[in-house]
Amino acid sequence: MHEATVIANIVDAVLEELGKHKVKKVNSVTMVVGDLTELGYEQMEFAWGVLTENNILKGSKIIFEPEKIVVRCKDPACGFEGPCKEIDMGEDTYEHNIPVLSCPVCGGGVEVVQGMACRIKSLDVDLEEEENRCSITGTQRRPGRSSRRRRS
Ligand SMILES: [Zn+2]
């Protein structure tokens, strides 16, 4: 099961990163997953649940952020760069659409510039010390209080 291997690597990487901080609790881990990787979100979510059962990640959520496929035409005279065509598998199937890896303009060969990603984007954690309230992502937990001023 390919998904389990990917998640095992992600779990290792996350645990290593967490070792550098005094982390109390992990809320969620966000992963960027390219459409070309053909990784199943459901399988990965399942693997996450299993592989985080006995460590600090227990109870945390894994969030997937899809990355669209972008191709660049190898023919400099054409120069197309953008989304590739896809063969629609229809709505009544759980299969991903099939990407067509050729230039939608001239039909020539392409280079994939985006869509292969499989990486951790951010971690949302609670740190031990209260003063250190920020998460590794830098998200602010408390919304800044804006002083109300009336404009006439
Ligand atoms: Zn082209």
Side-chain angles (χ1 to χ4, degrees):
M1 198 169 139
H2 188 42
E3 278 84 0
T5 317
V6 169
I7 291 300
N9 288 334
I10 295 284
V11 169
D12 282 351
V14 169
L15 289 176
E16 198 190 320
E17 179 63 32
L18 293 178
K20 300 175 196 162
H21 307 267
K22 285 186 177 172
V23 175
K24 199 164 64 182
K25 187 177 163 246
V26 179
N27 302 312
S28 66
V29 173
T30 305
M31 234 183 111
V32 181
V33 183
D35 284 353
L36 250 189
T37 61
E38 291 182 344
L39 292 166
Y41 293 171
E42 260 176 55
Q43 289 97 308
M44 288 199 288
E45 210 165 10
F46 176 77
W48 182 261
V50 174
L51 293 166
T52 58
E53 194 109 72
N54 298 310
N55 53 42
I56 191 172
L57 295 170
K58 187 179 166 84
S60 65
K61 262 205 302 187
I62 180 104
I63 299 164
F64 304 113
E65 214 177 271
E67 184 188 73
K68 287 271 161 224
I69 301 168
V70 173
V71 294
R72 185 190 294 138
C73 185
K74 281 182 180 166
D75 182 356
C78 169
F80 173 84
E81 187 174 326
C84 70
K85 272 192 201 165
E86 286 181 355
I87 298 171
D88 196 343
M89 296 300 284
E91 282 171 18
D92 52 346
T93 165
Y94 294 106
E95 297 296 317
H96 286 284
N97 290 350
I98 299 173
V100 181
L101 293 180
S102 60
C103 178
V105 177
C106 71
V110 290
E111 234 180 289
V112 176
V113 254
Q114 199 187 285
M116 302 281 286
C118 180
R119 61 170 187 268
I120 301 161
K121 189 189 175 200
S122 60
L123 311 174
D124 183 9
V125 301
D126 288 345
L127 296 176
E128 292 270 0
E129 294 128 67
E130 279 301 314
E131 310 94 88
N132 266 341
R133 61 175 163 74
C134 70
S135 68
I136 299 174
T137 55
T139 350
Q140 300 233 341
R141 206 174 300 159
R142 248 185 276 169
R145 236 182 259 173
S146 58
S147 51
R148 280 192 198 174
R149 268 182 221 157
R150 281 205 177 185
R151 280 184 205 164
S152 51

